[in-house]
Amino acid sequence: MDLKKLAKTLIPDGDLREPAEYETIYPPRAVEKGAEVTRLAPSPTGFIHLGNLYSALADERCAHTTGGTFYLRIEDTDEKRKVEGAVESVIRSLKYFGIKFDEGAEIDSPLNNYGPYYQRQRAKIYRAFVKKLIEEGRAYPCFCTAEQLDEIRAKQTENKETTGYYGGYAKCRNLSEEEIYKNIAEGKPFVIRLKSLGDINNKKIFRDAIKGDITVTENDQDVVILKSDGIPTYHFAHAIDDHFMHTTLVIRGEEWLSSLPVHIELHEALGFKPPRYAHTCSLMKMDGGTKRKLSKRKDPELSLDYYRKAGYFPLAVVKYLMTVLNSNFEEWTLKNPDGDYRDFKFKIDKMGKSGALFDLDKLNEISRTEISKISAEDCYAFLNEWVSEFGTPADITHFKDKEYIVKILNLVMGTGGKKRRKDIERAEQGVRLIDYFFDDTFSPEYAYRFDAATVNGVLNGFTQVYDPADDNSQWFAKVKAVASENGFAAETGDYKANPAAYKGSVSDAAEILRVAVTGSPNSPDLCTIMGILGKRRATERLLKGRK
Ligand code: GLU
């Protein structure tokens, strides 16, 4: 068969370059030996999830701890799944978590020498290589219809054989020249398939950068490399792109492991040295005692938007993911509590080989710790940013008074005292936590543990003596006096020695004041809270709190 003629008929484009030219157009990168070139290669579906962030962090760390490059490539070969604004959303979401690309789609960078970074814009490159494979007898047109493929599949299923287009089932592999030209003349749609030379009885050891040595069975499937719309499949496009963009390490989800044999053969057929591959394990969660994969349908926490809307502290999410990525990161943070996570020596081969457990409780704990380390001013900025995007109109009004909020935060975070408090976990929760400092959002439930006479006695009594000029100990002395007047023990020790003689201890009396002023039996230092609220508002609340 005249393969050159066939290639020209199937790929008639008059403006294709010679494949070898691309080696000159995309020369090796000027990076140091050992520098990793990594990429995030999402499809623009608009759904950016924790798995993307997890991979992106591994990519970014590998590149930036070795003096390499991390770039963004958009795998948009499937037009149907494309969503407007998806690329911007990937960039924005990752930026929120402090992850930046060095080059790539929509990235303004002088390094953008390996583009275009949208696969649809690279069609000419792919087509040049498909043409080459046809000329070399490593690819052929397939005219099978969807119905014929269904029939093949049904037969294979019935015979309990592997499904797919291979061996004797690969009908179009053996079409005569005459049949091919006849089909083309009749205008039958076709795809281009790889002519596999593999044998599934041959097994090879493959070194995965995370999973170590794994046994890989040779591919024998004649996979589609160019679809009938002239656009390549992911398999083919990624091989070309990672070669010409000089990716050294492909970090991707383990769902791609089953395609690895195809990818190895594609690189061989194209004459390319494959990059190293690192297949990350899936993110799992505990659900009713069993471990399962995080699912888009069941788990809102899979979406990155969830973290932004809930106002997670970005650094906390990143640090949490670092603990999932490298199990020794946690140990490192214990030794370097204030260290920058970027100083940790991230190692791809230290990543877990199987199911990484995602633990929201642990993330929350890290989030509380990280927020407790910042200043009240920085916390104001963080909360205010969330408020401006997700807050209620009342939140927006409250946050205009920065001085008042910073005062509250100094108290809630314990920044003035010796010991930092860890009350703020996320922006959303933090903003709700301080609602009681504002009259329009103060909605107490007044869950008192004492009868009306006692509650009213304490509240009336304290209203009469309260003076905002009192310091903490003067304030407390007054609480004791009012407690005592109302049947409580002024000293805890007295109460313990003879509980039957009192209604409760001074702390129980103070709880009545606390409930009236804050709406809750638990709060930071009440004397300071009353000081922040000011005399008029504090007194109003004491009186309003009466039963
Ligand atoms: N486009 C593929 C995906 O979104 C990328 C896989 C890869 O990283 O090679 O899953």
Side-chain angles (χ1 to χ4, degrees):
M1 194 177 317
D2 182 347
L3 293 173
K4 263 205 161 343
K5 181 179 152 211
L6 178 63
K8 213 167 169 193
T9 313
L10 296 170
I11 312 284
D13 322 27
D15 54 352
L16 294 186
R17 290 179 187 275
E18 277 307 310
E21 281 180 50
Y22 287 109
E23 299 290 351
T24 328
I25 298 173
Y26 301 117
R29 290 168 181 270
V31 286
E32 298 275 303
K33 200 167 175 282
E36 300 284 14
V37 178
T38 60
R39 84 302 194 270
L40 190 71
S43 301
T45 59
F47 182 67
I48 165 120
H49 55 82
L50 201 62
N52 296 130
L53 177 61
Y54 176 77
S55 283
L57 188 56
D59 280 317
E60 189 270 347
R61 286 293 77 212
C62 279
H64 294 157
T65 50
T66 57
T69 300
F70 172 44
Y71 70 90
L72 175 65
R73 181 170 79 223
I74 301 301
E75 305 213 317
D76 56 354
T77 53
D78 190 351
E79 186 80 332
K80 289 191 288 297
R81 296 176 65 210
K82 194 170 160 189
V83 167
E84 236 12 84
V87 178
E88 289 70 21
S89 154
V90 170
I91 297 170
R92 195 186 52 234
S93 299
L94 294 182
K95 198 167 156 210
Y96 178 75
F97 294 102
I99 296 180
K100 293 197 191 101
F101 296 97
D102 303 309
E103 69 176 62
E106 308 304 326
I107 306 295
D108 184 15
S109 163
L111 298 172
N112 283 351
N113 298 325
Y114 293 87
Y117 295 92
Y118 284 86
Q119 288 185 327
R120 283 200 158 252
Q121 296 171 17
R122 300 171 64 80
K124 293 272 171 233
I125 313 177
Y126 307 128
R127 290 173 70 78
F129 281 88
V130 171
K131 192 171 175 191
K132 178 171 182 271
L133 290 184
I134 300 170
E135 286 170 355
E136 292 169 355
R138 287 304 311 271
Y140 63 90
C142 168
F143 300 92
C144 284
T145 60
E147 292 73 36
Q148 285 171 312
L149 294 175
D150 284 348
E151 269 167 38
I152 295 175
R153 175 177 287 272
K155 202 162 168 189
Q156 289 165 335
T157 312
E158 194 185 307
N159 296 346
K160 296 197 169 47
E161 290 171 313
T162 310
T163 55
Y165 206 82
Y166 62 92
Y169 289 110
K171 287 187 196 162
C172 292
R173 190 186 248 240
N174 302 316
L175 290 181
S176 66
E177 196 163 6
E178 215 186 328
E179 285 168 310
I180 293 176
Y181 285 106
K182 185 168 167 277
N183 284 336
I184 296 172
E186 285 171 6
K188 284 193 183 165
F190 61 85
V191 297
I192 306 291
R193 287 183 184 272
L194 170 76
K195 187 180 277 179
S196 171
L197 304 181
D199 177 346
I200 50 158
N201 295 311
N202 292 341
K203 308 215 184 287
K204 281 184 198 149
I205 296 292
F206 183 86
R207 172 151 287 236
D208 183 272
I210 294 174
K211 298 194 184 287
D213 284 347
I214 50 175
T215 306
V216 175
T217 304
E218 261 181 26
N219 170 59
D220 70 343
Q221 299 266 351
D222 285 359
V223 291
V224 175
I225 54 175
L226 200 68
K227 295 182 279 186
S228 54
D229 60 1
I231 296 292
T233 52
Y234 160 74
H235 305 302
F236 192 70
H238 106 278
I240 300 276
D241 294 346
D242 283 325
H243 177 72
F244 287 112
M245 295 181 181
H246 299 278
T247 310
T248 58
L249 179 62
V250 169
I251 302 175
R252 61 182 184 184
E254 65 188 353
E255 65 275 17
W256 293 108
L257 213 44
S258 57
S259 308
L260 188 60
V262 172
H263 299 165
I264 295 173
E265 186 171 13
L266 277 173
H267 279 90
E268 273 166 14
L270 288 162
F272 298 160
K273 179 173 178 278
R276 278 151 48 244
Y277 285 91
H279 289 93
T280 59
C281 52
S282 307
L283 288 173
M284 318 279 281
K285 77 181 267 185
M286 288 308 285
D287 186 3
T290 49
K291 229 179 175 189
R292 65 162 175 80
K293 252 182 161 175
L294 277 174
S295 115
K296 186 172 167 179
R297 201 165 42 83
K298 294 189 206 151
D299 307 309
E301 72 268 33
L302 186 60
S303 155
L304 281 192
D305 271 351
Y306 171 86
Y307 299 90
R308 260 180 9 100
K309 282 192 190 129
Y312 270 94
F313 195 57
L315 183 64
V317 178
V318 168
K319 279 195 160 179
Y320 172 65
L321 285 178
M322 288 294 292
T323 67
V324 182
L325 284 169
N326 266 192
S327 55
N328 53 332
F329 178 72
E330 211 168 345
E331 199 185 306
W332 182 87
T333 50
L334 291 176
K335 285 194 198 127
N336 303 278
D338 298 318
D340 185 330
Y341 76 90
R342 295 180 192 91
D343 293 336
F344 167 76
K345 300 243 169 323
F346 177 80
K347 288 264 181 313
I348 190 83
D349 55 2
K350 286 233 166 60
M351 280 182 70
K353 295 187 187 356
S354 62
L357 199 58
F358 182 74
D359 179 350
L360 207 53
D361 291 338
K362 189 148 180 200
L363 166 61
N364 291 340
E365 187 194 311
I366 295 183
S367 198
R368 283 195 300 273
T369 306
E370 288 306 316
I371 293 177
S372 79
K373 290 182 191 167
I374 59 176
S375 67
E377 271 80 10
D378 286 350
C379 189
Y380 168 81
F382 165 61
L383 299 180
N384 191 36
E385 203 173 313
W386 181 87
V387 162
S388 62
E389 196 172 355
F390 303 105
T392 61
D395 295 335
I396 292 171
T397 310
H398 297 166
F399 271 75
K400 287 200 174 118
D401 192 350
K402 179 173 173 188
E403 203 185 320
Y404 187 61
I405 304 257
V406 168
K407 251 195 241 170
I408 299 171
L409 292 176
N410 271 319
L411 168 72
V412 170
M413 300 174 78
T415 34
K418 283 182 222 81
K419 200 166 168 3
R420 287 296 188 93
R421 297 177 64 98
K422 294 188 179 177
D423 294 5
I424 304 183
E425 183 177 283
R426 297 166 279 120
E428 186 186 34
Q429 167 268 350
V431 170
R432 296 287 72 86
L433 183 75
I434 62 171
D435 266 346
Y436 68 88
F437 281 94
F438 304 89
D439 287 343
D440 58 343
T441 46
F442 175 56
S443 51
E445 281 173 20
Y446 297 132
Y448 295 116
R449 293 188 288 116
F450 298 93
D451 58 31
T454 309
V455 167
N456 296 348
V458 170
L459 295 178
N460 284 329
F462 199 72
T463 308
Q464 280 159 27
V465 293
Y466 176 58
D467 181 352
D470 289 343
D471 67 16
N472 228 296
S473 61
Q474 288 163 325
W475 179 89
F476 194 49
K478 287 183 178 172
V479 175
K480 281 184 180 176
V482 171
S484 177
E485 283 158 23
N486 286 279
F488 292 88
E491 303 298 333
T492 313
D494 293 347
Y495 175 66
K496 280 201 179 133
N498 192 5
Y502 303 100
K503 287 183 183 163
S505 82
V506 60
S507 58
D508 297 310
E511 184 186 296
I512 295 175
L513 299 174
R514 197 181 297 280
V515 169
V517 175
T518 71
S520 158
N522 302 303
S523 79
D525 181 60
L526 186 58
C527 171
T528 314
I529 293 175
M530 292 176 75
I532 293 173
L533 287 170
K535 174 145 187 169
R536 183 190 53 78
R537 224 169 350 171
T539 314
E540 249 171 45
R541 288 192 184 187
L542 290 172
L543 297 176
K544 246 202 192 139
R546 288 176 298 187
K547 264 186 157 180

